[in-house]
Amino acid sequence: MVNQQTVPAALCVTEETHPRPDGRDQYTISEVAAFTGMSAHTLRWYERIGLMPHVDRSNTGQRRFSNRDLDWLAFVGKLRLTGMPVADMVTYAELVREGKRTEPQRKALLEATRTDVVQRIAELQDTLTVLDYKIGTYAGAEQAPERTGA
């Protein structure tokens, strides 16, 4: 098990996950969609429901995402993989915007999610054991000589 205290924040966001052009800090919605694998529709929806912080706009009204936005979306992507409900993700985002005083609530929300993930991993490990057993029985059946009814 990884000690939560020793994991650097850099592990949450990697350049490999989000390749970024050198020296840039403004991206269009289509560029962000390509970087994150999320659709433009999803990105707009995240902004509308409050999951994304305020996204800057160009003088023509087009969204301009920053590297910080990409970092946030990488984290949101991880939360999605945990199975965290969108409502909880929005609550977490609201708590982040409220500042440092909400750290205990944020920690509690993430700890509850972590507990759910650990439980799901255990369930999946049990399922994998059953699958491996069944696959093994078929592998054994393939190796056994055929019986004839003579």
Side-chain angles (χ1 to χ4, degrees), residues 118-140:
V118 169
Q119 181 180 353
R120 283 188 27 233
I121 289 171
E123 290 167 353
L124 287 171
Q125 189 62 50
D126 183 54
T127 301
L128 184 59
T129 300
V130 171
L131 288 173
D132 287 344
Y133 172 79
K134 278 305 256 185
I135 290 168
T137 62
Y138 290 120

Side-chain angles (χ1 to χ4, degrees), residues 48 51 138:
R48 192 168 50 252
L51 186 53
Y138 290 120

Side-chain angles (χ1 to χ4, degrees), residues 26 47 53-58 61-66 69:
Q26 283 198 347
E47 186 179 8
H54 170 74
V55 177
D56 287 335
R57 302 282 180 138
S58 70
Q62 292 180 319
R63 288 171 180 83
R64 293 290 180 215
F65 294 83
S66 67
D69 294 328

Side-chain angles (χ1 to χ4, degrees), residues 1-16:
M1 182 168 126
V2 175
N3 180 341
Q4 295 173 22
Q5 302 300 322
T6 63
V7 177
L11 288 180
C12 296
V13 180
T14 65
E15 290 297 321
E16 296 150 14

Side-chain angles (χ1 to χ4, degrees), residues 41-61:
H41 175 77
T42 296
L43 294 167
R44 288 185 200 100
W45 181 61
Y46 281 178
E47 186 179 8
R48 192 168 50 252
I49 66 172
L51 186 53
M52 276 294 301
H54 170 74
V55 177
D56 287 335
R57 302 282 180 138
S58 70
N59 58 356
T60 60

Side-chain angles (χ1 to χ4, degrees), residues 95-106:
L95 290 169
V96 168
R97 285 190 288 273
E98 288 178 29
K100 191 165 180 65
R101 68 181 176 80
T102 66
E103 285 180 357
Q105 295 99 315
R106 288 185 264 163

